[in-house]
Amino acid sequence: MVLRGRALLAVDTLLVLNGFQGSHSSSGDGISADTEIGTVVSTIDEEHSQRHAKIKVSDSVGDKRVYGTLEKWNPETIEENGQTIEAHALVASTGVGSVRVTGACEGGDLLESNGDGTAKVQSDDIVRSKTIGKVTIGNSNTGVKLVSCVLYCG
């Protein structure tokens, strides 16, 4: 009876999780502790570690190589898949995340790369290879700001 109670408690705990986020480590030229959280990043044809691509700040509008957004910079050296990884970026690709957006956006808008490390509202409502994610909380500010989204990339 006690074990069942503990098992039930474990299930109850799973039901109250906060937002899910799929993220992974990466690195690349121009990506550092100075890169702002929510910056849109794209893959380059180099390996960061086994099965993980290196990244750059997304520099083309509608970039179909978008990999996610910078979630945080980790200044620590880690061991990953048998490799030593120096300071690196943590890139969010799926689930809840923050995106630096240029221009006003509404909840439900899809986002794509603006070509400068920020995102902009996509011109249609079709999820494509260039789609970063969907805005969950709109913001009418027309400047650059951090916007809550559900990420679809990577």
Side-chain angles (χ1 to χ4, degrees), residues 55-134:
I55 57 173
K56 66 177 182 175
V57 172
S58 182
D59 59 2
S60 63
V61 174
D63 188 354
K64 67 180 185 177
R65 293 194 68 159
V66 167
Y67 202 36
T69 62
L70 181 67
E71 178 62 23
K72 78 178 218 178
W73 178 258
N74 188 346
E76 300 171 10
T77 299
I78 63 167
E79 198 65 31
E80 185 175 284
N81 298 323
Q83 295 180 340
T84 300
I85 307 294
E86 299 298 327
H88 60 281
L90 187 62
V91 178
S93 293
T94 59
V96 298
S98 297
V99 181
R100 290 181 64 233
V101 176
T102 299
C105 57
E106 297 179 2
D109 283 344
L110 296 179
L111 300 173
E112 66 181 1
S113 176
N114 196 37
D116 60 0
T118 69
K120 67 177 186 169
V121 173
Q122 197 172 289
S123 64
D124 59 27
D125 288 335
I126 300 170
V127 175
R128 302 177 185 277
S129 60
K130 66 181 182 177
T131 304
I132 299 166
K134 183 190 296 187

